[in-house]
Amino acid sequence: MKSLTRKLMSVIIAASFCFGLASCSGKTTSVSSAASETTTAAETKASESSSAAESKAEVKTVTAGKLIMATNATFPPYEFHEGDKIVGIDAEIAKAIADKLGLELVIEDVAFDSIIAGVQAGKYDIGCAGMTVTEDRLKSVNFSTSYATGIQSIIVKEGSEIKTIDDLIKGKYKVGVQSGTTGDIYMSDAENGGVGEDRIDRYNNGNDAVVALMSGKVDAVCIDNEPAKSYVAANKSLVILDTPFTEEKYAIAVNKDNEALLNAINKALEELTADGTIAKIIEKYIPSK
Ligand code: GLN
């Protein structure tokens, strides 16, 4: 187990590198020198002086008066459809931030692997999608302070001969992933503990990957632990394997040129953490008992 954990640690480093290449290739990136100077730290601290409410005057968004959030709403309990609404931890946290900044929250449901590029291109103000902070994503966008954590999980059908992650890796099994996620990155890197490119089937969202598992197109799905739990709770024929993947930090992606928005979001997160709002939202969707 120790060596596997070590292996997976190196996957995270190598995999983050792959993500950067994959997400940036073919896209025009214009980053001003002022912006790039601000992005060396993984989590940029909010400016010390003002409150979120005070800092809102300086904040410019893509459309005045609105905060446009890109997400992929097949990631329960962080974002999912309830009737014609998108709800979940991220939707509620983003709404609380928007309220503090006097902005109307607009949620756009897009493919996960287009979120960073869209934030970078100035199409969306924020990417809020249970998104893991990686060094390579930090080359394209800034991240807020982290508000939650996740761990990669493997889902298989009940009775599957895959009982452990070693079974999965050593066999000839196919793994379904959400395109461009950290699960995709880990699993596609055969050199570092994944199953390798040839055994990966990529889907636009977690739901499609799980449907592929149910219909036998893939033998397993690699996805973050909370959505994995939700999918398994909704489908009795699925089970989750224990995995030694290390913890990932979720944060909100912001365009590198919009430092005022990043600072205001960090301030808002600080206030929402201090007054217990974030904990309350998380508890609502992930009850501690
Ligand atoms: N946390 C994973 C990532 O950032 C998956 C996020 C998601 O699928 N919404 O890649």
Side-chain angles (χ1 to χ4, degrees):
M1 179 66 110
K2 241 190 181 161
S3 76
L4 184 60
T5 310
R6 244 200 320 273
K7 250 190 200 170
L8 289 165
M9 289 287 287
S10 56
V11 175
I12 292 167
I13 297 157
S16 312
F17 180 67
C18 299
F19 184 92
L21 293 180
S23 68
C24 297
S25 61
K27 304 222 160 66
T28 329
T29 313
S30 79
V31 177
S32 77
S33 56
S36 51
E37 274 164 25
T38 65
T39 56
T40 44
E43 288 165 11
T44 311
K45 280 244 167 355
S47 64
E48 304 297 326
S49 52
S50 56
S51 70
E54 280 160 2
S55 61
K56 71 186 181 194
E58 295 142 40
V59 171
K60 299 246 180 324
T61 54
V62 173
T63 305
K66 297 190 173 170
L67 183 70
I68 304 178
M69 156 178 161
T71 197
N72 177 257
T74 63
F75 199 73
Y78 286 89
E79 38 268 330
F80 56 102
H81 287 272
E82 204 171 73
D84 56 0
K85 276 181 73 185
I86 293 171
V87 298
I89 294 170
D90 286 337
E92 290 205 22
I93 290 179
K95 173 78 171 69
I97 292 171
D99 285 350
K100 276 196 179 284
L101 303 183
L103 298 168
E104 179 200 343
L105 181 70
V106 177
I107 302 180
E108 296 213 9
D109 188 13
V110 302
F112 181 82
D113 62 3
S114 69
I115 296 175
I116 298 243
V119 169
Q120 198 181 11
K123 205 166 156 191
Y124 317 118
D125 294 301
I126 57 171
C128 189
M131 189 173 280
T132 304
V133 179
T134 70
E135 287 304 320
D136 277 290
R137 290 174 181 173
L138 278 163
K139 289 177 190 155
S140 310
V141 289
N142 276 339
F143 277 103
S144 69
T145 46
S146 174
Y147 58 88
T149 55
I151 301 165
Q152 293 302 309
S153 290
I154 306 293
I155 311 177
V156 295
K157 273 196 190 163
E158 201 171 48
S160 164
E161 46 191 18
I162 306 166
K163 305 286 182 213
T164 64
I165 188 155
D166 277 351
D167 294 343
L168 175 70
I169 287 158
K170 286 183 194 139
K172 291 196 161 51
Y173 306 106
K174 275 247 170 209
V175 182
V177 295
Q178 275 181 279
S179 189
T181 58
T182 42
D184 178 1
I185 296 162
Y186 302 145
M187 277 296 138
S188 27
D189 189 351
E191 302 288 299
N192 287 292
V195 297
E197 193 62 37
D198 296 349
R199 285 166 49 199
I200 291 287
D201 267 358
R202 295 192 169 89
Y203 297 90
N204 266 342
N205 59 62
N207 195 53
D208 289 355
V210 171
V211 168
L213 173 62
M214 307 274 283
S215 66
K217 277 196 195 136
V218 295
D219 305 293
V221 165
C222 180
I223 194 166
D224 299 38
N225 56 332
E226 287 301 335
K229 281 192 230 160
S230 293
Y231 282 122
V232 168
N235 298 286
K236 273 207 192 132
S237 60
L238 301 178
V239 290
I240 300 177
L241 301 183
D242 288 334
T243 47
F245 289 111
T246 47
E247 200 171 84
E248 302 178 8
K249 286 184 172 184
Y250 293 168
I252 299 171
V254 182
N255 186 290
K256 283 195 180 215
D257 291 332
N258 202 344
E259 218 194 317
L261 179 60
L262 179 70
N263 288 337
I265 288 173
N266 279 339
K267 259 293 167 219
L269 280 172
E270 200 180 306
E271 292 167 12
L272 293 165
T273 303
D275 72 6
T277 305
I278 304 276
K280 214 162 119 193
I281 293 171
I282 293 177
E283 180 67 26
K284 172 175 166 189
Y285 289 95
I286 310 174
S288 48
K289 46 179 161 92

